[in-house]
Amino acid sequence: GQNIDQPTEMTATEGAIVQINCTYQTSGFNGLFWYQQHAGEAPTFLSYNVLDGLEEKGRFSSFLSRSKGYSYLLLKELQMKDSASYLCAVQDSNYQLIWGAGTKLIIKP
Amino acid sequence: GAVVSQHPSWVICKSGTSVKIECRSLDFQATTMFWYRQFPKQSLMLMATSNEGSKATYEQGVEKDKFLINHASLTLSTLTVTSAHPEDSSFYICSARDVREGFWEQYFGPGTRLTVT
């Protein structure tokens, strides 16, 4: 079966760095996405990785290792507005998105 | 960036009635649209995938006769919840993708919150 695992909840301090991990087992791989979702809102796109390595975009970076079925989202200089759920999604061989359950990130002052 | 709109943003209806939700891609042509449902504190659940001009493909456990999907044009898909019941109350989100661009990102609409009383 297809499976995406990520922690249910994480807590971090404003100004700090946090890493949210995602491991996956899917039938085929055509890229991994990270989305941010604030409560009551639709997800918004953060990053897309299809090749191994680190993609940096401002305060957010995303890493992928296809051989390990592993990705992480790194958030630097945390701000209170970063409190949200972070969703990991893998595109399988049919270009269907398989979603993780999301990681709720709580930022404390 | 690509914009997807949904209408209405929220709706309250009585049990037994039908509700139609529209999803539009505003500045691109969506060859594929997806409909998701999300219950509180849960992740997105894909309900169906629709390609323009063809019948929608429903996920296992989703009743196609209850959730009618029409994707009549490259910019519009509709989801009709027929004979709604309180258990259908949820956050319905559509997303759209233009595969011809060669980039597989799904652009999400803002969601529609449905409450069935």
Side-chain angles (χ1 to χ4, degrees), chain A residues 23-90:
Chain A
T23 58
Y24 63 89
Q25 289 179 306
T26 57
S27 54
F29 179 84
N30 280 300
L32 183 145
F33 294 84
W34 282 98
Y35 283 85
Q36 179 191 61
Q37 186 178 25
H38 285 100
E41 299 180 11
T44 55
F45 170 79
L46 289 178
S47 68
Y48 171 70
N49 294 69
V50 67
L51 300 176
D52 290 350
L54 186 68
E55 295 279 343
E56 296 185 78
K57 190 185 293 185
R59 293 190 298 115
F60 294 3
S61 302
S62 57
F63 171 83
L64 174 68
S65 168
R66 288 172 295 172
S67 62
K68 296 181 180 178
Y70 168 69
S71 172
Y72 67 72
L73 179 69
L74 190 72
L75 293 77
K76 302 177 185 177
E77 301 170 16
L78 286 170
Q79 302 174 10
M80 298 303 293
K81 67 178 181 179
D82 297 329
S83 292
S85 287
Y86 291 85
L87 307 175
C88 172
V90 172

Side-chain angles (χ1 to χ4, degrees), chain A residues 1-6 22-35 86-102, chain B residues 34 36 43-46 49 59 97 104 106 108:
Chain A
Q2 310 206 91
N3 196 47
I4 311 281
D5 284 320
Q6 50 181 132
C22 171
T23 58
Y24 63 89
Q25 289 179 306
T26 57
S27 54
F29 179 84
N30 280 300
L32 183 145
F33 294 84
W34 282 98
Y35 283 85
Y86 291 85
L87 307 175
C88 172
V90 172
Q91 202 153 237
D92 67 10
S93 56
N94 295 318
Y95 291 94
Q96 194 90 300
L97 275 183
I98 311 300
W99 293 88
Chain B
F34 304 86
Y36 293 88
S43 189
L44 297 172
M45 187 194 81
L46 179 65
T49 301
E59 296 299 301
R97 185 171 74 191
W104 300 89
Q106 289 186 23
F108 284 87

Side-chain angles (χ1 to χ4, degrees), chain B residues 44-85:
Chain B
L44 297 172
M45 187 194 81
L46 179 65
M47 298 175 67
T49 301
S50 74
N51 293 298
E52 185 264 338
S54 61
K55 289 185 178 181
T57 302
Y58 289 81
E59 296 299 301
Q60 195 171 11
V62 178
E63 301 173 57
K64 62 179 67 176
D65 294 331
K66 180 172 182 61
F67 298 99
L68 303 178
I69 292 172
N70 184 278
H71 191 166
S73 76
L74 284 172
T75 59
L76 174 65
S77 176
T78 60
L79 168 68
T80 301
V81 183
T82 62
S83 187
H85 288 102

Side-chain angles (χ1 to χ4, degrees), chain B residues 4-72:
Chain B
V4 175
S5 70
Q6 271 184 252
H7 178 80
S9 55
W10 60 270
V11 57
I12 301 173
C13 71
K14 291 186 177 180
S15 187
T17 61
S18 295
V19 174
K20 179 185 283 189
I21 303 170
E22 290 187 351
C23 177
R24 294 182 185 271
S25 56
L26 299 185
D27 52 2
F28 69 102
Q29 293 185 323
T31 50
T32 307
M33 285 186 168
F34 304 86
W35 286 97
Y36 293 88
R37 181 166 53 180
Q38 187 174 37
F39 293 106
K41 299 184 180 180
Q42 294 186 24
S43 189
L44 297 172
M45 187 194 81
L46 179 65
M47 298 175 67
T49 301
S50 74
N51 293 298
E52 185 264 338
S54 61
K55 289 185 178 181
T57 302
Y58 289 81
E59 296 299 301
Q60 195 171 11
V62 178
E63 301 173 57
K64 62 179 67 176
D65 294 331
K66 180 172 182 61
F67 298 99
L68 303 178
I69 292 172
N70 184 278
H71 191 166

